[in-house]
Amino acid sequence: MNPPADADVSPAVLTVDGFQCLIDELQRRGYRVIGPTVADGAIVYDDLASVDALPRGVGDAQDAGRYRLTRRDDEALFGYAVGPHSWKRFLNPPRLKLWSSRREGDGVRVEPAPEPRQPLAFIGVRGCELRAIAIQDRVFLGGRYVDRPYDVRRRGAFIVAVSCGTAGGTCFCTSMGSGPRAQGDFDLALTEIVDAGEHHFVVEVGSDAGREIMAQLPSRDATSADCRQAERIVAATAASMGRSLPAEGVRELLLDNLDHPRWDQVAERCLSCANCTMVCPTCFCSSVEDSSDLASEETARERRWDSCFTTDFAYLHGGSVRATTRARYRQWMTHKLATWIDQFGSSGCVGCGRCITWCPVGIDITEEVRAIAAAPARTGGSDHADGHAQD
Amino acid sequence: MPMSDPMLPQVVRVLRRRRELPEVWTLEIEPASDAAADAPNFEPGQFNMLTAFGVGEVPISYSGDPQRSQRWVHTIRAVGAVSTALTRLRAGDVLGVRGPFGSAWPLAAAEGRDVLVVAGGLGLAPLRPAIYRLLAQRRRYGRVTLLYGTRSPDDILFRRELERWRRRLDVDVQVTVDHAVGDWHGHVGVVPALIARADFDPARTSALVCGPEVMMRFTLAALRTAGVAETAIHLSMERNMKCAVGLCGHCQFGPTLVCRDGAVYRSDLLAPYLPIREL
């Protein structure tokens, strides 16, 4: 996505009918349009045929270990926070064939898996999710080796972001600087306004592709009053967030406290179920599985999401390097908040709160950081941590 | 312009298979087709991902001579399904290869210095390419010492080669076993204990260490006691590995990814994390 070439892209106002035109236009251009919809009592991301598939008038109640859909007293299309799905399931699918092989004579021929033909369009990408995509971009595209399956899906993706008009019960994006305003790499960014019989979207254009699409839609220029109203909505969301993580020093805090007693304490609650890693929009770990037919004529390698909470994850010579839940929880949290910075140049956390909501026992990552910060002890990793901080 | 896919293995053939120990085999395979044919096409310390088709893929270090670019040599212990399938391949059979991956032993930086090679068990295999190069370019280095420890005399890897190197007058080769049996007349005990007796100048020594993690921890402590600088000690780490290109997350060790930042590390980068259990 390139920023729009000329600066003359003032915000526009799109009606709900205009929103249907947006979906139509994306489909006409060959995109597979994906967005939020209700399934199994949750907001999930799935193919969208029309604006009617969006969760109109649906809200949610979230807390540690708790998620319920609610009925709003308005007809908002985006009046809820993020659910269990994130966009990684489309950019890096949970199961993906990498290649297959076929025996030919006394040799073997390896065939790469077919690539998707249809570009993706994401509707309703929140600020925290834009940040999550940017973080996965650095993991999959920013290193010496580029992940081809991610690259082909990501490159053509069209992103319609939505700034949040409601803070979820476990959100802490304000403290992570990732939301609630949609900022970063989007094609269009919407703020939904549902107020006194009014229902429309203030649209910010973020790319040439976004501007081209907008030109096809029935819209009017946004007035300064429209823009101020959008700003007020986002500011109110930011102010209503109940949780936070410290902006600075978490990396050093955790690496200096690798043997802190809190790890034993959290391990007594953690079920090592891997839910947090599945719902996290940045967790990217994967494993591979090879299969073959009975005659070994044809074989295939499939990649699937994996989690550092499984004992197989760090299996080496007959046992797991991280045999205890204590070690596995510590690996997850220190990777997310500390060593991710060493590996990929930023924190791996965006403040979306999914790991808190979907933890069956309600472990709260912000509370775990606070507990260690309340009684820190220098127990390890500190030399390296200090050395790195001075780099 | 299609971009190459680092997850796609190349199909190569086994040139030769040799049994080293009851469960340890050495495979000589064709190099990947995109590797240089007439120049060194891997660095000592690097590894490949080897695929037994239909079974799976595992990381295996190079164990052969980097000057012999026409064949890639890997020494494999049959421990799991994939490594067992690999060790059953015969000359002419096909396998998949991706690589070379990972960092290298710092042999250029060690020129002009004493070099101390400390290996435990199968850890001698990833060090053998470095030993070949040290011996091929013997005049560039000071004293060269190889300390090798293994469980018993029956577990000594590359025994004939060790004996050949031991006959040379310009290399000090010491072998120790944890448990002596039969007619063993050599050292008995763990390999770090040999460091105190070895002849090297700690102020100008580079140490290359590979073996089980507990052996490397004790070796590191013995090298520190001997006065070798932390920045002159390199060790090769091992972790579960699936992709070898920094994309799967499996091989994390502290702030590093073993496939990307290792497997050969300067020890001062690992020192804070080595003592942490289950990291």
Side-chain angles (χ1 to χ4, degrees):
Chain A
M1 262 163 285
N2 299 314
D6 77 61
D8 182 27
V9 276
S10 51
V13 167
L14 194 67
T15 62
V16 174
D17 291 340
F19 199 91
Q20 178 62 51
C21 297
L22 169 61
I23 294 175
D24 294 341
E25 181 63 20
L26 287 168
Q27 282 168 343
R28 197 181 66 76
R29 288 170 183 243
Y31 286 100
R32 179 186 166 197
V33 179
I34 301 163
T37 192
V38 173
D40 301 328
I43 303 290
V44 299
Y45 297 150
D46 206 344
D47 291 85
L48 282 187
S50 80
V51 72
D52 294 331
L54 290 167
R56 187 187 295 258
V58 176
D60 59 17
Q62 300 194 34
D63 203 344
R66 187 185 146 77
Y67 181 92
R68 296 287 184 277
L69 293 186
T70 58
R71 167 73 27 206
R72 293 172 59 95
D73 54 11
D74 61 25
E75 296 292 294
L77 300 179
F78 296 96
Y80 40 82
V82 292
H85 281 184
S86 67
W87 304 100
K88 74 176 182 180
R89 68 187 301 103
F90 302 99
L91 294 172
N92 174 32
R95 297 191 86 95
L96 179 72
K97 187 157 121 179
L98 294 175
W99 51 263
S100 57
S101 81
R102 174 186 290 275
R103 188 164 286 280
E104 285 186 355
D106 66 343
V108 165
R109 183 186 170 83
V110 174
E111 285 284 347
E115 291 172 354
R117 297 234 178 88
Q118 219 179 352
L120 300 166
F122 297 157
I123 305 282
V125 180
R126 306 305 178 117
C128 60
E129 300 186 302
L130 287 174
R131 172 74 65 85
I133 292 170
I135 288 172
Q136 287 214 327
D137 283 352
R138 279 197 292 280
V139 172
F140 287 122
L141 310 176
R144 177 168 172 206
Y145 297 97
V146 166
D147 186 64
R148 185 165 174 89
Y150 185 91
D151 189 43
V152 297
R153 287 163 177 76
R154 175 73 178 96
R155 231 178 328 166
F158 187 92
I159 292 183
V160 180
V162 169
S163 292
C164 289
T166 317
T170 56
C171 292
F172 55 102
C173 67
T174 306
S175 66
M176 302 307 291
S178 62
R181 181 190 164 86
Q183 51 200 332
D185 202 0
F186 56 75
D187 295 287
L188 299 173
L190 279 49
T191 305
E192 185 174 29
I193 290 168
V194 199
D195 186 32
E198 293 270 308
H199 191 181
H200 56 258
F201 299 91
V202 176
V203 184
E204 191 186 337
V205 173
S207 72
D208 284 338
R211 188 179 49 178
E212 267 180 47
I213 297 263
M214 272 311 284
Q216 305 302 313
L217 308 181
S219 67
R220 65 165 169 86
D221 287 348
T223 63
S224 58
D226 291 323
C227 295
R228 275 201 307 278
Q229 195 176 8
E231 303 264 331
R232 271 200 307 277
I233 287 169
V234 172
T237 305
S240 65
M241 232 163 272
R243 287 176 166 81
S244 68
L245 264 188
E248 300 281 332
V250 175
R251 177 185 175 278
E252 290 68 24
L253 176 74
L254 296 184
L255 293 185
D256 283 349
N257 287 280
L258 293 171
D259 279 325
H260 196 279
R262 184 71 182 187
W263 302 117
D264 298 299
Q265 210 262 23
V266 70
E268 286 175 14
R269 290 172 284 142
C270 175
L271 306 178
S272 205
C273 72
N275 259 18
C276 49
T277 54
M278 296 293 107
V279 297
C280 176
T282 68
C283 271
F284 62 88
C285 288
S286 65
S287 190
V288 286
E289 275 173 0
D290 287 24
S291 59
S292 78
D293 61 2
L294 286 174
S296 287
E297 292 289 311
E298 292 182 27
T299 81
R301 180 165 296 158
E302 190 178 65
R303 180 160 81 184
R304 57 170 175 76
W305 288 359
D306 200 359
S307 169
C308 53
F309 281 96
T310 70
T311 44
D312 269 0
F313 187 83
Y315 184 92
L316 196 65
H317 307 313
S320 174
V321 169
R322 301 184 197 102
T324 63
T325 299
R326 172 188 186 272
R328 296 200 289 278
Y329 186 86
R330 181 181 66 187
Q331 164 62 27
W332 176 70
M333 190 166 129
T334 55
H335 185 221
K336 188 65 53 187
L337 300 178
T339 55
W340 202 296
I341 298 169
D342 300 86
Q343 294 168 9
F344 304 109
S346 77
S347 170
C349 180
V350 300
C352 71
R354 285 182 179 90
C355 59
I356 305 171
T357 297
W358 295 94
C359 176
V361 296
I363 295 171
D364 178 342
I365 192 171
T366 67
E367 185 187 332
E368 296 311 310
V369 169
R370 259 199 320 282
I372 292 173
R378 290 174 66 92
T379 53
S382 55
D383 295 346
H384 183 67
D386 293 349
H388 189 92
Q390 288 157 14
D391 283 349
Chain B
M1 162 92 185
M3 178 194 62
S4 74
D5 182 347
M7 296 300 281
L8 221 52
Q10 294 195 34
V11 180
V12 298
R13 282 183 195 279
V14 176
L15 300 170
R16 199 167 155 218
R17 178 181 77 150
R18 189 173 53 245
R19 187 180 207 178
E20 305 283 359
L21 295 172
E23 293 186 325
V24 179
W25 299 78
T26 291
L27 288 187
E28 299 183 10
I29 64 172
E30 296 171 328
S33 59
D34 57 356
D38 50 0
N41 48 24
F42 72 92
E43 286 295 316
Q46 289 193 296
F47 66 93
N48 274 323
M49 297 299 284
L50 301 184
T51 289
F53 284 105
V55 186
E57 187 179 48
V58 286
I60 306 284
S61 293
Y62 287 90
S63 66
D65 188 338
Q67 296 309 122
R68 298 186 67 195
S69 54
Q70 326 80 344
R71 50 191 56 216
W72 281 354
V73 180
H74 293 284
T75 301
I76 305 164
R77 189 196 297 275
V79 283
V82 183
S83 54
T84 299
L86 288 170
T87 58
R88 287 186 179 155
L89 296 174
R90 307 293 182 88
D93 287 348
V94 292
L95 73 162
V97 61
R98 297 190 292 128
F101 296 122
S103 56
W105 298 110
L107 296 172
E111 287 184 16
R113 299 163 63 84
D114 291 354
V115 180
L116 183 57
V117 178
V118 189
L122 207 58
L124 183 57
L127 280 165
R128 191 168 69 165
I131 297 166
Y132 285 135
R133 182 162 291 171
L134 289 168
L135 297 181
Q137 304 176 341
R138 183 63 192 86
R139 284 190 305 180
R140 299 189 189 177
Y141 299 93
R143 279 164 288 197
V144 173
T145 307
L146 168 60
L147 308 178
Y148 176 55
T150 187
R151 266 177 292 178
S152 78
D154 291 338
D155 296 313
I156 295 172
L157 186 66
F158 307 142
R159 184 166 189 150
R160 287 173 60 188
E161 229 164 357
L162 283 166
E163 288 170 351
R164 197 159 64 237
W165 294 334
R166 210 178 141 95
R167 284 198 294 272
R168 291 176 64 136
L169 300 179
D170 57 355
V171 189
D172 180 16
V173 177
Q174 300 294 330
V175 178
T176 184
V177 299
D178 296 344
H179 307 289
V181 288
D183 58 350
W184 178 253
H185 296 293
H187 299 287
V188 178
V190 294
V191 69
L194 297 179
I195 290 170
R197 314 189 202 175
D199 182 23
F200 58 90
D201 176 0
R204 48 185 292 272
T205 290
S206 294
L208 318 179
V209 185
C210 185
E213 216 163 298
V214 61
M215 166 266 177
M216 293 203 287
R217 276 201 292 270
F218 280 99
T219 299
L220 205 52
L223 289 169
R224 285 181 189 134
T225 303
V228 180
E230 200 79 47
T231 52
I233 304 168
H234 284 72
L235 29 97
S236 181
M237 291 293 292
E238 189 174 13
R239 280 293 178 268
N240 186 308
M241 207 176 269
K242 296 294 181 194
C243 78
V245 289
L247 304 174
C248 83
H250 274 260
C251 68
Q252 291 179 62
F253 181 72
T256 75
L257 295 163
V258 173
C259 71
R260 185 184 83 175
D261 308 312
V264 176
Y265 290 90
R266 214 175 67 192
S267 80
D268 59 313
L269 302 176
L270 294 184
Y273 303 102
L274 279 173
I276 309 279
R277 290 185 60 192
E278 293 195 85
L279 193 68

